[in-house]
Structure formats: C-alpha cells, structure tokens
Amino acid sequence: MKNVFVLGTLCVIFATSCSKKKESKMPDNIPAPVAKIVPKTLEKHGDIRIDNYYWLNDRENPEVIDYLNQENEYYNKMTAHTKEFQKDLYEEMKGRIKEDDESVPYLYNGYYYITRFETGKDYPIYSRKKGSLSAKEEILFDCNELAKGKSFFQLGGMSISPDNKFAIYSTDFVGRRIYTLQIKNLETGEILKDEIKNIDGRGVWANDNKTIFYTTQDKVTLRSDKVFRHKLGTDAKSDVLIYNEKDDTFNVSISKEKSKKYIVIESGSTLTSEFRTLLADTPDGEFKVFQPRIRGLEYSISHFGDSFYVVTNKDDATNFKLMKTPENATTKENWKDVITHRDDVLIEDIDIFKDYLVVSERNNGLNKIRIMPWSGEGEYYLPFESETYTAYTATNVDFDTDILRYGYQSLNTPSSTVDFNMKTKEKKVMKEQQVLGGKFKKENYLEERVWATSTDGTQIPISIIYKKGIKRDGKNPLLLYAYGSYGASMDAYFSSTRLSLLDRGFIYAIAHIRGGEDLGRQWYEDGKLLKKKNTFTDFIDCSKYVIAQKYTSPEHLYAEGGSAGGLLMGSIVNMAPELYNGVIAQVPFVDVVTTMLDDSIPLTTGEYDEWGNPNEKEYYDYMKSYSPYDNVKAQAYPNMYVSTGLHDSQVQYWEPAKWVAKLRAVKTDKNVLFLDTNMDAGHGGASGRFEALKELAKEFTFLLDLEGIEK
C-alpha cells in the first residue's frame, strides 16, 4: 500500500469540475526506450516459456542501469509540461500539513514519550520527558541529523532499557530493510561500540539491562531466520545463537510481553504459528516452546497474571476465537474458551488491562471495539456511526488504567486520537489531525458505502468519497484503489493529500475485494491460492458497478494498486483493459511464476501458502494463467504509470522493468506507458514525509493530465 500521511495535514485547493475533458498536452514525437531482446528459455513441468527480458535481472550490469535511466529520461521528457504543476501540487499538499506537529504523549516506565516534527524538516524527532509533560525535553533521536547526507533513511525499531539508561536503535540507509543495530547511552549521549549488522530492525531488552535479543536475516533471501543474544559492551562476534529457524517458509521475530515478564520468539508462516517464551529475568535460560507447530494452527499470545490469552483458529475457528491457558501449562490441550468462534465476527486482536479485556473485532466489513470487564458485568461496544471509517486501539502500554487510547478516522473525517474511560464511558479527543489552509470542511464531502455484485454473486463493498455537488452523469473521473492479498484489510481512511483530487472533481473509491480480510477470514481464503482470480474479477466487477451507476465511465475511470495490489493492476489490464483510461501500478508484483520458482529471491519460500508452490504443477498452471508478465498480449492497454525502486527487497525492480519492456513491444495502442525508477530507494519509495509528497505529485499529475486538468 502506498504510504499515507495521517500525521499533520493539508491545504488549499482550487475546486474545479471535470464535466468536459480536455486533451493532454503530452508530446507524441518522443521515442520510447526499447529494451534489447535476449531470449532465455525457462522450462518447468514440460512447459516452455521464453523470457526475452530476463537479462534485466542484474542490478550490477551497466546495461541494466542504462536502460532504467533511459526509461526515467523518457518519463521526464514526456511529462516536462507537468513539472510546474507537480511543484504546485507538492506545495499544495505540503501546505495542508502542520509541519511543527507532534504525537499525543504516552507514559511508559516513568517517562512521557513524544514523536514530533519541526517546520521544514523531513524526519521525526523522538523525545521524552521524565515524570511530567512540563519537565525538560530529552531528545532521544533526531532523525534529521541521522539522515544528513543520505539519499534514503529509515529508523528501525527503538527500544529503551528497563532502567531507562540505554536505547537500542537501528538504521537503514538503502531502503532494502537491512538494518544495523546500535546502542545509545541516554545519560551521556555516547553511541556504544556495540554494532550489529544485518538485523531485521529491532532488538529486545531482558530485565537485567545488559542482555539484548535480536533477529538476523539470511543475506540472500532476507528471510529473518536466526535469534541471537548479545551482552552490552561485548563484541557482536561473541553473540550466542539462541534459535535457528531452518524451515525456509517460516520467519522469526522477537518481542517482549506487555507484562514485561516474558521475552517471546515468534516463528510463523502464512498458515502456521509457533512461539517460544523465556522469563525476562533469566536471559541466559532456555526458551520453552509454547505449543509446537501444527500445520494450519495459527495462534498469538498475550500474558496477564498467571495466564496466557490465546487468539487462535483452533478447532476450525475460521474467524478465530479467544482462549486462556495457565502460564505453566501452555500446550493446546490446556486451552479453554473465553470467547467462542462466531461465523460473522472476526477477532483481530486483544488489549489487556487490569480490569478490562478489549477485543478488536470485524463484522460486516467494519471495525468494532468491544470492552469486556473482567468482572463479567456490563460489556459493551464503542459506538461508531459512519460506514466508511476505521477505528483501532492505539498505544496502550499500561495495565493499571481505565483509559483506552484508540484512533478513529473516516473518508471525510481527519484522524483523531481518543482517550476513552472504560469505567465512566467518557471520551476525550486528545488530538485531531489539522488540515491547514482554511478551505477544508468535512461537511463538503459525501461518503458512501455501496455493494457491487461479483461474477459469482458475492456482494463486494466499496467505500466512496466525493465533493458535494457532483452529479452521477458518467462524466466524473474516478480513482478506484484496492490491494486484495495477505488478508490485509483496506479500511476507509482520511487523506489530506487526496483532497487535491477531490477538489478537482475526482471521486475516490476503495474496493474491499477478496484476498483481504475485510469481511472475515473466509474473505481472505476465497482470494488466495487456487482462488486468487476472485481478487481480480472482484475489482473488475466493482469497476463495472461504478460505471453502471454513472459515478464515472471507461473514459474517466482510473485504477491504482501497489505491490501485491500491483499484481492486481497487471491482471486487470490484461483481462479488462477497456474499462480504464489510466492505471497506476506501484512497485508491482507482476512476474509471479518466475519469482515464485526462484527461492533465492527474498520472501519467495514464505509466500508458498499465499500463492502456492509452482514446483507443483497444479499451482504452476494456475499462476501462469494469471501472472501479468506471462499474459501480456497484443491488445490495447490503458495509459499506465509504473513505479519501482532499485533497492526494493519486497518486489525486485526487474519485475516492473521486464513487464514494461514487454508491454512496449506488443501493445497495439498509442497510450502512454511510463516506468519511473527511484534509483535511491526500496519498496516504500522515498524516505521523508516531503520527499514522498513529490512521488505522490507525480501520480496525481499523471491522472490530472489525462483528464486535461492543468491547475
């Protein structure tokens, strides 16, 4: 999913209507790059594929870099007439952001922790105040200083020692999500000599203030596979290997329970979980398996008192249920039901307090927050009235409190952080995202939830927002977004940057298609493996719905998706290109078969439970039938803007590069096709809140230019 700015926000806009489409000023006399053809024969299960652009799979090859640069140059020349508009949009979106913004402080272990931004700076500053918000600020990390001289910067996990004297932090200067761990003495400001490379981003303190656990990655596949123990002040070469996950379909992570009593190793694949626990007071002890892995058994654990609470799909609980087990008897035969399974309610997570259990649920595609007193009396749900909203529990690190902190936003309601008293039911809005510029009023925008009927009769929800006064006459530009994989639910969220489209007459819609978990676990199951095509046909049917209901028309309909959502984009332009005037595919996963056959590529083996293992012929044949790269054909395609990052660790840059090269060679239309490669970034695009706005301005001008909107 594209990074979304929820912090701060946004500005002025010149409202225009798009009742009459003008012509784009894009030049038609600039030759597009042509990638050379070097046929490579790929054979599996007796099936032969010829890949003419396999050679692009080598970022060390100067010819590859030259080709990517040619594509960037072509994009820049073709869009030269929009450069001023891009700058204007950038300033417009930036102008809505409260630059000197800060988070709502939270209290943890005697300190209030705050994340803030300063005017004109791209990166956050992490600070704390001891005991009181009026105390002197102590800056932990100024990411603007850490990022100086770097084209990319990302701060990974930050963890404070129990005695508040040291901080673990990690940094990535490439965008490949390979971090280096370091330790800062918070009393002196000194950076210790301890330095650990190739970690997955975070470290965890034991209760002795000197033992750290961390996870490393395989250098080729980037799979998190090993857990080590490090002693403060020692050479990392002497660190002790605690756990090695040898199953290459599993990844490992390390964390600490909210109770601070246990350190936990989680080893998980798409379908299976396994946890190990260790008393945080005895870091040199042995981790104990909580419940041995059983394929298909998923569970997560939360410690409280003398028990663990377990969210699990045990006993065919497709939508998960909540169980409880003694901390000294943790295998599944000891688990007892607390909340039984319900066919229409998905349990997503829990938050535990001294007097309350808070359950995050999902019903009919909407978030629900359930408050359950441990006394067993007077449980209730937080009331939410909109049908296009998202609500979620936020940072709740304290057991002994009646206050639940949660977040709320909708398509037309800026994000807010709320402190809710679970005893008195009083709520206090601690902060609402500000939209600067003086033009934004939520009542000027209408939000709807409608339902499209899919090819197999399933009802698919669509969340829609547009400016009041727009007529459903088929002439409105509409941007339809979706993801549709990994059980990731795409809830309706507020975006101040989106106002730059809405105020220019665009309608924005989110299709809650299968492959996500929007309507429960079965919604996910029905959009993966051998049912993956439901994801694509759902989106196409949502597209047909908004056309039939005259929200838009094929001349004005645009589609957007990133990563696995880019796979969706690649599939729909092969299957139904006539429905769209333009498509934005961000870091798209489009070469499914070749990637899933290469177990040296990051993430591949861990993805078998999502896409299937093409080493098995049934899955190979099914993947090949929808893989965008393999199904490019001689037909007309929409206008397309494709973006990628040279250092992407999730979807390798060569997938979109090969895809664009093949499209150029065979498509029969004269519509524009752009490949825009960030030569300094990875999967998430540019780092820094303002640099990311520049990338968004590129996408918006692509859409607005196609609509003939010039300002």
Coordinates of all heavy atoms in Angstrom, one line a residue, residues 8-78:
G8 N -0.4 15.3 10.9 CA -0.4 16.6 10.3 C -1.5 16.7 9.3 O -2.4 16.0 9.3
T9 N -1.4 17.7 8.3 CA -2.2 17.6 7.1 C -2.6 18.8 6.5 O -2.2 19.8 6.8 CB -3.3 16.6 7.3 OG1 -2.8 15.5 6.9 CG2 -4.5 16.7 6.7
L10 N -3.4 19.1 5.7 CA -3.2 19.6 4.5 C -4.0 20.8 3.9 O -4.3 21.2 3.6 CB -3.4 18.5 3.5 CG -2.7 17.4 4.0 CD1 -2.2 16.6 2.9 CD2 -1.8 17.4 5.1
C11 N -4.4 21.2 2.9 CA -4.4 22.6 2.5 C -5.5 23.1 1.5 O -6.5 22.7 1.4 CB -3.1 23.0 2.0 SG -3.0 23.6 0.4
V12 N -5.1 24.0 0.8 CA -5.9 24.8 -0.1 C -6.1 23.9 -1.4 O -5.4 23.1 -1.7 CB -5.0 26.0 -0.6 CG1 -5.7 26.7 -1.7 CG2 -4.8 26.9 0.6
I13 N -7.1 24.2 -2.1 CA -7.3 23.6 -3.4 C -8.2 24.4 -4.3 O -9.0 25.1 -3.8 CB -7.9 22.2 -3.2 CG1 -7.0 21.2 -2.8 CG2 -8.7 21.8 -4.3 CD1 -6.0 20.6 -3.5
F14 N -7.9 24.4 -5.5 CA -8.7 25.1 -6.4 C -9.8 24.2 -7.0 O -9.5 23.4 -7.8 CB -7.9 25.7 -7.6 CG -6.7 26.4 -7.1 CD1 -5.4 25.8 -7.1 CD2 -6.7 27.6 -6.5 CE1 -4.3 26.4 -6.6 CE2 -5.6 28.3 -6.0 CZ -4.4 27.7 -6.1
A15 N -11.0 24.4 -6.5 CA -12.1 23.4 -6.9 C -12.5 23.7 -8.3 O -12.8 24.8 -8.7 CB -13.3 23.7 -6.0
T16 N -12.4 22.6 -9.1 CA -12.9 22.7 -10.5 C -13.7 21.5 -10.8 O -13.6 20.4 -10.1 CB -11.7 22.7 -11.4 OG1 -11.0 21.5 -11.3 CG2 -10.8 23.9 -11.2
S17 N -14.5 21.6 -11.7 CA -15.4 20.4 -12.2 C -14.8 19.9 -13.4 O -14.1 20.5 -14.2 CB -16.8 20.9 -12.4 OG -17.5 19.9 -13.0
C18 N -15.0 18.6 -13.6 CA -14.5 17.9 -14.8 C -15.6 17.5 -15.8 O -15.6 16.4 -16.3 CB -13.7 16.7 -14.4 SG -12.3 17.1 -13.4
S19 N -16.5 18.4 -16.0 CA -17.7 18.0 -16.8 C -17.2 17.8 -18.3 O -17.8 17.0 -19.0 CB -18.7 19.1 -16.7 OG -18.2 20.3 -17.1
K20 N -16.2 18.5 -18.7 CA -15.7 18.4 -20.0 C -14.2 18.0 -20.1 O -13.4 18.8 -19.5 CB -16.0 19.6 -20.8 CG -15.6 19.5 -22.3 CD -16.0 20.8 -23.1 CE -15.7 20.6 -24.6 NZ -16.0 21.8 -25.3
K21 N -13.9 16.9 -20.6 CA -12.5 16.5 -20.6 C -11.7 17.2 -21.7 O -12.1 17.2 -22.9 CB -12.4 15.0 -20.8 CG -11.0 14.4 -20.8 CD -11.1 12.9 -20.8 CE -9.7 12.3 -20.8 NZ -9.7 10.9 -20.9
K22 N -10.6 17.8 -21.4 CA -9.7 18.4 -22.3 C -8.6 17.4 -22.7 O -8.4 16.4 -22.1 CB -9.0 19.6 -21.7 CG -10.0 20.7 -21.3 CD -9.3 21.9 -20.7 CE -10.3 23.0 -20.2 NZ -9.5 24.1 -19.6
E23 N -7.9 17.7 -23.8 CA -6.8 16.8 -24.2 C -5.5 17.1 -23.4 O -5.2 18.2 -23.1 CB -6.5 17.1 -25.7 CG -7.7 16.6 -26.6 CD -7.9 15.1 -26.6 OE1 -7.0 14.4 -26.5 OE2 -9.1 14.7 -26.6
S24 N -4.8 16.0 -23.2 CA -3.5 16.1 -22.5 C -2.5 16.8 -23.5 O -2.6 16.7 -24.7 CB -3.0 14.8 -22.1 OG -1.6 14.8 -21.8
K25 N -1.5 17.5 -22.9 CA -0.5 18.2 -23.7 C 0.7 17.3 -23.9 O 1.8 17.8 -24.2 CB -0.1 19.5 -23.1 CG -1.3 20.6 -23.2 CD -0.8 21.9 -22.6 CE -1.9 22.9 -22.8 NZ -1.5 24.2 -22.2
M26 N 0.6 16.0 -23.6 CA 1.7 15.1 -23.7 C 2.2 15.0 -25.2 O 1.5 14.8 -26.1 CB 1.3 13.7 -23.2 CG 2.4 13.0 -22.5 SD 1.8 11.6 -21.6 CE 1.0 12.3 -20.3
P27 N 3.5 15.2 -25.4 CA 4.1 15.1 -26.7 C 4.0 13.7 -27.3 O 3.9 12.7 -26.6 CB 5.6 15.5 -26.5 CG 5.9 15.2 -25.1 CD 4.6 15.4 -24.4
D28 N 3.9 13.7 -28.6 CA 3.8 12.3 -29.3 C 4.9 12.0 -30.2 O 4.9 11.1 -31.0 CB 2.5 12.3 -30.1 CG 2.3 13.4 -31.1 OD1 3.3 14.1 -31.3 OD2 1.2 13.5 -31.7
N29 N 6.0 12.8 -30.1 CA 7.1 12.7 -31.0 C 8.4 12.3 -30.3 O 9.5 12.4 -30.9 CB 7.4 13.9 -31.8 CG 7.7 15.1 -30.9 OD1 7.5 15.1 -29.7 ND2 8.1 16.2 -31.5
I30 N 8.3 11.8 -29.1 CA 9.5 11.4 -28.3 C 9.5 9.9 -28.4 O 8.6 9.2 -27.9 CB 9.5 11.9 -26.9 CG1 9.5 13.4 -26.9 CG2 10.6 11.4 -26.1 CD1 9.3 14.1 -25.5
P31 N 10.6 9.3 -28.9 CA 10.6 7.8 -29.0 C 10.8 7.2 -27.6 O 11.6 7.6 -26.8 CB 11.8 7.5 -29.9 CG 12.7 8.8 -29.7 CD 11.8 9.9 -29.5
A32 N 10.1 6.1 -27.4 CA 10.2 5.4 -26.1 C 11.4 4.5 -26.1 O 11.8 4.0 -27.2 CB 8.9 4.6 -25.9
P33 N 12.0 4.2 -25.0 CA 13.1 3.2 -25.0 C 12.7 1.9 -25.4 O 11.6 1.5 -25.3 CB 13.5 3.2 -23.5 CG 12.9 4.4 -22.9 CD 11.7 4.7 -23.7
V34 N 13.6 1.2 -26.0 CA 13.4 -0.2 -26.5 C 14.4 -1.1 -25.8 O 15.6 -0.9 -26.1 CB 13.4 -0.3 -28.0 CG1 13.3 -1.8 -28.4 CG2 12.4 0.6 -28.7
A35 N 14.0 -2.0 -25.0 CA 14.9 -2.9 -24.3 C 15.3 -4.0 -25.3 O 14.5 -4.5 -26.1 CB 14.3 -3.5 -23.1
K36 N 16.6 -4.3 -25.3 CA 17.1 -5.4 -26.2 C 16.4 -6.7 -25.9 O 16.1 -6.9 -24.7 CB 18.6 -5.4 -26.2 CG 19.2 -6.0 -25.0 CD 20.7 -6.1 -25.1 CE 21.3 -6.7 -23.8 NZ 22.8 -6.9 -24.0
I37 N 16.3 -7.5 -26.8 CA 15.7 -8.9 -26.6 C 16.9 -9.9 -26.6 O 17.7 -10.0 -27.5 CB 14.8 -9.2 -27.8 CG1 13.5 -8.3 -27.7 CG2 14.3 -10.7 -27.7 CD1 12.6 -8.5 -28.9
V38 N 16.9 -10.6 -25.5 CA 17.8 -11.7 -25.3 C 17.0 -12.9 -24.8 O 16.8 -13.1 -23.6 CB 18.9 -11.4 -24.3 CG1 19.9 -12.5 -24.2 CG2 19.6 -10.0 -24.6
P39 N 16.6 -13.8 -25.7 CA 15.7 -14.8 -25.3 C 16.3 -15.8 -24.3 O 17.5 -16.2 -24.5 CB 15.4 -15.5 -26.7 CG 15.7 -14.5 -27.7 CD 16.8 -13.7 -27.2
K40 N 15.6 -16.1 -23.3 CA 16.0 -17.1 -22.3 C 14.9 -18.2 -22.2 O 13.8 -17.8 -22.0 CB 16.3 -16.5 -21.0 CG 16.8 -17.6 -19.9 CD 17.2 -16.9 -18.6 CE 17.7 -17.9 -17.6 NZ 18.9 -18.6 -18.0
T41 N 15.3 -19.4 -22.3 CA 14.3 -20.5 -22.2 C 14.1 -20.9 -20.8 O 15.1 -21.3 -20.1 CB 14.7 -21.7 -23.1 OG1 14.9 -21.3 -24.5 CG2 13.7 -22.8 -23.0
L42 N 12.9 -20.9 -20.3 CA 12.6 -21.4 -19.0 C 11.6 -22.6 -19.1 O 10.6 -22.5 -19.7 CB 11.9 -20.2 -18.2 CG 12.7 -18.9 -18.1 CD1 11.8 -17.8 -17.5 CD2 13.9 -19.1 -17.2
E43 N 12.0 -23.7 -18.5 CA 11.2 -24.9 -18.6 C 10.8 -25.4 -17.2 O 11.7 -25.5 -16.3 CB 11.9 -26.0 -19.4 CG 11.1 -27.2 -19.6 CD 11.8 -28.2 -20.5 OE1 12.9 -27.9 -21.0 OE2 11.2 -29.3 -20.7
K44 N 9.6 -25.8 -17.1 CA 9.1 -26.4 -15.8 C 7.9 -27.3 -16.1 O 7.0 -26.9 -16.9 CB 8.7 -25.4 -14.8 CG 8.5 -25.9 -13.4 CD 9.7 -26.3 -12.7 CE 9.5 -26.8 -11.3 NZ 10.7 -27.2 -10.6
H45 N 7.9 -28.5 -15.6 CA 6.8 -29.4 -15.8 C 6.5 -29.7 -17.3 O 5.4 -29.9 -17.7 CB 5.5 -28.9 -15.1 CG 5.6 -28.5 -13.7 ND1 5.9 -29.5 -12.7 CD2 5.5 -27.4 -13.0 CE1 5.9 -28.9 -11.5 NE2 5.7 -27.6 -11.7
G46 N 7.6 -29.6 -18.1 CA 7.4 -29.9 -19.5 C 6.9 -28.7 -20.3 O 6.7 -28.7 -21.5
D47 N 6.7 -27.6 -19.6 CA 6.2 -26.3 -20.2 C 7.3 -25.4 -20.4 O 8.2 -25.2 -19.6 CB 5.1 -25.7 -19.3 CG 4.6 -24.4 -19.9 OD1 4.0 -24.4 -21.0 OD2 4.8 -23.3 -19.2
I48 N 7.4 -24.8 -21.6 CA 8.5 -23.9 -22.0 C 8.0 -22.5 -22.1 O 7.0 -22.2 -22.8 CB 9.1 -24.4 -23.3 CG1 9.8 -25.7 -23.2 CG2 10.1 -23.3 -23.8 CD1 10.4 -26.3 -24.5
R49 N 8.7 -21.6 -21.4 CA 8.4 -20.1 -21.5 C 9.7 -19.5 -22.1 O 10.8 -19.8 -21.7 CB 8.0 -19.5 -20.2 CG 6.7 -20.0 -19.6 CD 6.4 -19.4 -18.3 NE 7.4 -19.7 -17.3 CZ 8.0 -18.8 -16.5 NH1 7.6 -17.5 -16.5 NH2 8.9 -19.2 -15.6
I50 N 9.5 -18.5 -23.0 CA 10.6 -17.7 -23.5 C 10.5 -16.3 -22.8 O 9.6 -15.6 -23.0 CB 10.6 -17.6 -25.0 CG1 10.5 -19.0 -25.7 CG2 11.8 -16.8 -25.5 CD1 11.7 -19.9 -25.4
D51 N 11.6 -16.0 -22.1 CA 11.6 -14.7 -21.4 C 12.6 -13.8 -22.1 O 13.9 -14.0 -22.0 CB 12.0 -14.9 -19.9 CG 11.8 -13.6 -19.2 OD1 11.8 -12.5 -19.8 OD2 11.8 -13.6 -17.9
N52 N 12.2 -12.9 -22.9 CA 13.1 -12.0 -23.7 C 13.8 -11.0 -22.9 O 14.8 -10.4 -23.4 CB 12.3 -11.3 -24.8 CG 11.8 -12.2 -25.9 OD1 12.5 -13.3 -26.2 ND2 10.7 -11.9 -26.6
Y53 N 13.4 -10.8 -21.6 CA 13.9 -9.7 -20.8 C 14.5 -10.1 -19.5 O 14.7 -9.3 -18.6 CB 12.9 -8.6 -20.6 CG 12.3 -8.1 -21.9 CD1 11.0 -8.5 -22.4 CD2 13.0 -7.3 -22.8 CE1 10.5 -8.1 -23.6 CE2 12.5 -6.8 -24.0 CZ 11.3 -7.3 -24.4 OH 10.7 -6.9 -25.6
Y54 N 14.8 -11.4 -19.4 CA 15.3 -12.0 -18.2 C 16.7 -11.3 -17.8 O 17.0 -11.2 -16.7 CB 15.6 -13.5 -18.4 CG 15.9 -14.2 -17.1 CD1 14.9 -14.8 -16.3 CD2 17.2 -14.4 -16.7 CE1 15.2 -15.5 -15.2 CE2 17.5 -15.1 -15.6 CZ 16.5 -15.6 -14.8 OH 16.8 -16.3 -13.6
W55 N 17.4 -10.8 -18.8 CA 18.7 -10.2 -18.6 C 18.6 -8.9 -17.7 O 19.6 -8.5 -17.1 CB 19.3 -9.8 -20.0 CG 18.6 -8.7 -20.7 CD1 17.5 -8.8 -21.6 CD2 18.9 -7.3 -20.7 NE1 17.2 -7.6 -22.0 CE2 18.0 -6.7 -21.5 CE3 19.9 -6.5 -20.0 CZ2 18.0 -5.3 -21.7 CZ3 19.9 -5.2 -20.2 CH2 18.9 -4.5 -21.1
L56 N 17.4 -8.4 -17.6 CA 17.3 -7.2 -16.7 C 17.4 -7.6 -15.2 O 17.5 -6.7 -14.4 CB 15.9 -6.5 -16.9 CG 15.8 -5.8 -18.3 CD1 14.3 -5.4 -18.5 CD2 16.7 -4.5 -18.3
N57 N 17.5 -8.8 -14.9 CA 17.6 -9.3 -13.6 C 19.1 -9.3 -13.1 O 19.7 -10.3 -12.8 CB 17.1 -10.8 -13.5 CG 17.2 -11.4 -12.1 OD1 17.9 -10.8 -11.2 ND2 16.6 -12.6 -11.9
D58 N 19.7 -8.1 -13.1 CA 21.1 -7.9 -12.7 C 21.4 -6.5 -12.5 O 21.8 -5.7 -13.4 CB 22.0 -8.5 -13.8 CG 23.5 -8.4 -13.4 OD1 23.8 -8.0 -12.2 OD2 24.4 -8.8 -14.2
R59 N 21.2 -6.0 -11.3 CA 21.4 -4.6 -11.0 C 22.8 -4.2 -11.1 O 23.1 -3.0 -11.0 CB 20.8 -4.2 -9.6 CG 21.4 -4.8 -8.4 CD 21.0 -4.2 -7.1 NE 19.5 -4.2 -6.9 CZ 18.8 -5.2 -6.4 NH1 19.5 -6.3 -6.1 NH2 17.5 -5.1 -6.3
E60 N 23.8 -5.1 -11.1 CA 25.2 -4.8 -11.3 C 25.6 -4.6 -12.7 O 26.7 -4.2 -13.0 CB 26.1 -5.9 -10.6 CG 25.8 -6.1 -9.2 CD 25.9 -4.9 -8.3 OE1 26.8 -4.1 -8.5 OE2 25.1 -4.7 -7.4
N61 N 24.7 -4.9 -13.7 CA 25.0 -4.8 -15.1 C 24.8 -3.4 -15.5 O 23.7 -2.8 -15.4 CB 24.1 -5.8 -15.9 CG 24.4 -5.8 -17.4 OD1 25.1 -4.9 -17.9 ND2 23.8 -6.7 -18.1
P62 N 25.9 -2.7 -16.1 CA 25.7 -1.3 -16.5 C 24.7 -1.1 -17.6 O 24.0 -0.1 -17.6 CB 27.1 -1.0 -17.1 CG 28.1 -2.0 -16.4 CD 27.3 -3.2 -16.2
E63 N 24.4 -2.2 -18.4 CA 23.4 -2.0 -19.4 C 22.0 -2.0 -18.8 O 21.1 -1.3 -19.3 CB 23.4 -3.3 -20.4 CG 24.6 -3.2 -21.4 CD 24.4 -4.3 -22.4 OE1 23.8 -4.1 -23.4 OE2 25.0 -5.4 -22.1
V64 N 21.8 -2.7 -17.7 CA 20.5 -2.6 -16.9 C 20.3 -1.2 -16.4 O 19.2 -0.6 -16.6 CB 20.5 -3.7 -15.8 CG1 19.3 -3.5 -14.9 CG2 20.5 -5.1 -16.4
I65 N 21.3 -0.7 -15.7 CA 21.2 0.7 -15.2 C 21.0 1.7 -16.3 O 20.2 2.6 -16.1 CB 22.5 1.0 -14.4 CG1 22.7 0.0 -13.2 CG2 22.4 2.4 -13.8 CD1 21.6 -0.1 -12.2
D66 N 21.6 1.5 -17.4 CA 21.5 2.4 -18.5 C 20.0 2.4 -19.0 O 19.4 3.4 -19.3 CB 22.4 2.0 -19.6 CG 22.3 3.0 -20.8 OD1 22.5 4.2 -20.7 OD2 22.0 2.5 -21.9
Y67 N 19.5 1.2 -19.1 CA 18.1 1.0 -19.6 C 17.1 1.7 -18.6 O 16.2 2.5 -19.0 CB 17.7 -0.4 -19.7 CG 16.2 -0.6 -20.0 CD1 15.6 -0.2 -21.2 CD2 15.4 -1.1 -19.0 CE1 14.2 -0.3 -21.4 CE2 14.0 -1.3 -19.2 CZ 13.4 -0.9 -20.4 OH 12.1 -1.0 -20.6
L68 N 17.3 1.5 -17.3 CA 16.4 2.2 -16.3 C 16.6 3.7 -16.4 O 15.6 4.4 -16.3 CB 16.8 1.7 -14.9 CG 16.6 0.2 -14.6 CD1 17.1 -0.1 -13.2 CD2 15.1 -0.2 -14.8
N69 N 17.8 4.2 -16.6 CA 18.0 5.6 -16.8 C 17.3 6.1 -18.0 O 16.8 7.3 -18.0 CB 19.5 5.9 -16.8 CG 20.1 5.9 -15.4 OD1 19.4 6.2 -14.4 ND2 21.3 5.5 -15.3
Q70 N 17.3 5.4 -19.1 CA 16.7 5.8 -20.3 C 15.1 5.9 -20.1 O 14.5 6.8 -20.6 CB 16.9 4.7 -21.4 CG 18.3 4.8 -22.0 CD 18.4 3.7 -23.1 OE1 17.5 3.5 -24.0 NE2 19.6 3.0 -23.1
E71 N 14.6 4.9 -19.3 CA 13.2 5.0 -19.0 C 12.8 6.2 -18.2 O 11.8 6.9 -18.4 CB 12.7 3.7 -18.3 CG 12.6 2.5 -19.2 CD 11.4 2.5 -20.1 OE1 10.6 3.5 -20.0 OE2 11.1 1.5 -20.8
N72 N 13.7 6.5 -17.2 CA 13.5 7.7 -16.4 C 13.6 9.0 -17.2 O 12.8 9.9 -17.1 CB 14.5 7.8 -15.3 CG 14.2 6.8 -14.1 OD1 13.1 6.2 -14.1 ND2 15.1 6.7 -13.2
E73 N 14.5 9.0 -18.2 CA 14.7 10.2 -19.0 C 13.4 10.3 -19.9 O 12.9 11.5 -20.2 CB 15.9 10.0 -19.9 CG 16.2 11.3 -20.8 CD 17.5 11.1 -21.6 OE1 18.1 10.0 -21.5 OE2 17.8 12.0 -22.4
Y74 N 12.9 9.2 -20.4 CA 11.7 9.3 -21.3 C 10.5 9.8 -20.5 O 9.8 10.7 -21.0 CB 11.4 7.9 -21.8 CG 10.1 7.7 -22.6 CD1 10.0 8.3 -23.8 CD2 9.1 7.0 -22.0 CE1 8.8 8.2 -24.5 CE2 7.9 6.9 -22.7 CZ 7.7 7.5 -23.9 OH 6.5 7.4 -24.6
Y75 N 10.4 9.3 -19.3 CA 9.3 9.8 -18.4 C 9.4 11.3 -18.2 O 8.4 12.0 -18.3 CB 9.3 9.0 -17.1 CG 8.4 9.7 -16.1 CD1 7.0 9.7 -16.1 CD2 9.0 10.4 -15.0 CE1 6.2 10.4 -15.2 CE2 8.2 11.1 -14.1 CZ 6.9 11.0 -14.2 OH 6.1 11.7 -13.3
N76 N 10.6 11.7 -17.9 CA 10.8 13.1 -17.6 C 10.5 14.0 -18.8 O 10.0 15.1 -18.7 CB 12.2 13.4 -17.1 CG 12.4 12.9 -15.6 OD1 11.5 13.0 -14.8 ND2 13.5 12.3 -15.3
K77 N 10.9 13.6 -20.0 CA 10.7 14.4 -21.2 C 9.2 14.4 -21.5 O 8.6 15.4 -21.9 CB 11.5 13.8 -22.4 CG 13.0 14.0 -22.3 CD 13.7 13.4 -23.6 CE 15.1 13.8 -23.6 NZ 15.8 13.2 -24.7
M78 N 8.5 13.2 -21.4 CA 7.1 13.2 -21.8 C 6.3 14.0 -20.8 O 5.1 14.4 -21.2 CB 6.7 11.7 -21.8 CG 7.2 10.9 -22.9 SD 6.4 11.4 -24.5 CE 4.8 10.7 -24.3

